[in-house]
Amino acid sequence: MNNTSLQTLKIFEEYEKRFAKAKFEKQINLSTIPDQRQRILDGVKKMLCFDEKLIPSISNANVITQRDLGNYVEYQVTYETWKNVYGASTVLIPKKSKPAPVTFILCGHGKKGRLTESYALMAHRLAKCGTAVIVPDNIGQGDREFMGHWNVVSPFNAGLTLQGLIVAETLALIKAVKSHPKFDGENMCACGNSGGGTLTMFLTALAPELKAVASSGYPSEFEGLLSKEKTHCACNLLKGCVCGPEMWEIYSLFAPKPLLLSQGWYDVLIPLELAKRNARKVSSVYSSIGAGENFKFELTATKHPWAEEDRILISNFLLKVLGLEPCDEIDEQAIIDILGDGSVKLPENAIGVDELVFNLTGVKTPKDIKLQDIIHPTFSGEKIDASTIDATYNNDDVMRIFAQMEYSLKTK
């Protein structure tokens, strides 16, 4: 008899029950009731391990390259956020005599970061229609890959989260753009897919500067995503998210402002029934305050990444809010032909996530430490001894999976 296999089965079963218990015990909060709204906001900050003091200031902005593309100019820009932490963004600005409305495109895990084709096609589509566009590389992605992203654990070791740092940096960028003379700070929107869907969800709670948001490839339910028996990217790990406010409660904080949630019929990463359930609940909140027309949920005949149908849907939604006409006849192949290589080199003194976390907290994370060494998986209230379980299943690290589940259920 293989006792390690049986023990592994029992532990997974207990985690399933803990997820079910957390869902059963969760009390709903309505964003339309002030004290409940505050509880949602507090819960958002708790799962992100977020404090306003984390938000850096944008400085030392530099245009690395620029191209005149007819009706607009493309810039590749670098800037400093926290000390020795450098960001990179593609910025498209229409040739207008007055400040332009702005759309932020927030990326998921495309192989080339902000330069991934699906995001670049969206950026140029929107710019052709008259909105300025800003596409930043998230921490550890694109030209910032050297910083570390997928497997970083130092934020969790120091009482932070990677997503919380990404949110803080994005909020800093939004604030900087709002006050910049080239942009109309009263007309700013955001859209994002997959990891960008995660980020846009948190912006609906924490970025009141935004006039409209389109979020795709993520809106569903925390329990459904974080109970998956797979290794998650570090940016998807949120402290106690299964016990805190659910996604629909967070998105509903944005009401009555225009909000679009969308999902591909053939997206195998996000369960369709959970996306639909989330949307129904958000819709109920919007309708309850007489703003039902400002909420949209759309299904597209696409997979997880943005395809042309998604770009048309999302861009038309945002352009309408900004008072701009959609460009119905966009030749995406013509855009692909002009994309080129917009990558930039960041300064030699640029630091990674581990150094950033140390600078922010004073906590140094030992090299080669694993998530399960920081967040200890438990069974029957006791730490799990890794030698008593099957270490791998389907080439995945089982202790890492248990640690993710433990963190999602963490209440203290």
Side-chain angles (χ1 to χ4, degrees), residues 94-326:
K95 294 178 181 177
K96 293 183 176 182
S97 58
K98 60 181 182 179
V102 184
T103 300
F104 293 89
I105 298 176
L106 303 167
C107 303
H109 290 91
K111 291 183 179 179
K112 297 171 67 177
R114 74 187 192 284
L115 302 175
T116 301
E117 187 176 282
S118 63
Y119 309 134
L121 285 168
M122 177 70 93
H124 287 272
R125 172 180 291 274
L126 286 165
K128 287 177 179 293
C129 297
T131 173
V133 182
I134 298 174
V135 195
D137 273 337
N138 292 324
I139 292 171
Q141 294 178 296
D143 286 328
R144 310 173 78 193
E145 185 176 4
F146 70 92
M147 294 184 69
H149 183 90
W150 188 277
N151 290 312
V152 297
V153 297
S154 54
F156 310 102
N157 188 51
L160 301 174
T161 64
L162 178 60
Q163 186 62 229
L165 294 174
I166 293 171
V167 169
E169 193 177 62
T170 307
L171 292 174
L173 192 59
I174 290 171
K175 292 178 189 302
V177 169
K178 181 176 175 64
S179 62
H180 196 286
K182 281 195 173 291
F183 304 115
D184 180 358
E186 300 305 312
N187 283 290
M188 300 194 300
C189 298
C191 60
N193 184 59
S194 191
T198 312
L199 181 49
T200 46
M201 178 186 69
F202 287 119
L203 295 183
T204 62
L206 298 171
E209 299 91 344
L210 297 177
K211 191 172 185 178
V213 166
S215 188
S216 63
Y218 184 77
S220 52
E221 292 181 358
F222 289 123
E223 186 272 339
L225 296 188
L226 275 303
S227 64
K228 286 184 177 182
E229 297 175 11
K230 57 173 281 187
T231 296
H232 288 287
C233 176
C235 73
N236 203 32
L237 302 182
L238 305 164
K239 184 177 180 180
C241 60
V242 175
C243 304
E246 191 48 88
M247 290 190 198
W248 71 268
E249 293 172 303
I250 299 172
Y251 281 115
S252 71
L253 290 171
F254 203 62
K257 291 189 285 186
L259 174 64
L260 168 66
L261 305 182
S262 59
Q263 163 83 11
W265 276 105
Y266 309 110
D267 184 344
V268 297
L269 296 183
I270 306 298
L272 182 59
E273 65 275 11
L274 297 187
K276 293 168 73 173
R277 182 189 295 166
N278 172 75
R280 171 181 59 77
K281 294 179 180 181
V282 179
S283 178
S284 295
V285 176
Y286 268 77
S287 296
S288 74
I289 59 172
E293 72 282 358
N294 286 347
F295 175 73
K296 306 292 182 186
F297 175 62
E298 299 288 346
L299 296 171
T300 55
T302 61
K303 298 180 181 179
H304 188 66
W306 274 342
E308 185 174 22
E309 183 181 349
D310 301 296
R311 289 188 285 271
I312 291 171
L313 169 70
I314 293 167
S315 62
N316 286 357
F317 171 79
L318 296 176
L319 290 165
K320 181 179 179 180
V321 173
L322 294 173
L324 298 171
E325 292 295 324

Side-chain angles (χ1 to χ4, degrees), residues 55-105:
I55 302 173
S57 296
I58 304 296
S59 61
N60 300 325
N62 289 292
V63 173
I64 306 302
T65 63
Q66 68 180 73
R67 295 193 299 164
D68 189 323
L69 295 174
N71 294 331
Y72 58 97
V73 179
E74 176 196 88
Y75 303 89
Q76 300 298 339
V77 181
T78 64
Y79 42 87
E80 193 170 8
T81 56
W82 296 279
K83 184 178 180 181
N84 296 334
V85 175
Y86 296 94
S89 287
T90 299
V91 180
L92 309 178
I93 303 180
K95 294 178 181 177
K96 293 183 176 182
S97 58
K98 60 181 182 179
V102 184
T103 300
F104 293 89
I105 298 176

Side-chain angles (χ1 to χ4, degrees), residues 335-404:
I335 295 174
I336 292 171
D337 292 341
I338 66 163
L339 289 181
D341 180 14
S343 61
V344 299
K345 185 177 180 180
L346 298 176
E348 294 289 337
N349 65 332
I351 64 174
V353 172
D354 292 349
E355 296 94 331
L356 167 61
V357 168
F358 176 75
N359 291 345
L360 291 174
T361 67
V363 177
K364 189 171 182 62
T365 300
K367 192 175 182 180
D368 299 327
I369 193 171
K370 296 182 178 180
L371 186 71
Q372 53 264 38
D373 300 323
I374 299 167
I375 303 155
H376 301 289
T378 63
F379 176 63
S380 297
E382 301 292 333
K383 291 181 183 179
I384 297 171
D385 180 348
S387 68
T388 66
I389 68 165
D390 291 337
T392 59
Y393 180 73
N394 285 342
N395 295 317
D396 225 335
D397 183 343
V398 174
M399 282 293 283
R400 161 79 185 213
I401 294 170
F402 289 156
Q404 294 170 170

Side-chain angles (χ1 to χ4, degrees), residues 21-35:
K21 183 173 184 287
K23 188 175 182 66
F24 176 76
E25 293 178 347
K26 185 180 293 189
Q27 300 294 313
I28 71 168
N29 289 290
L30 298 173
S31 61
T32 54
I33 300 174
D35 62 330

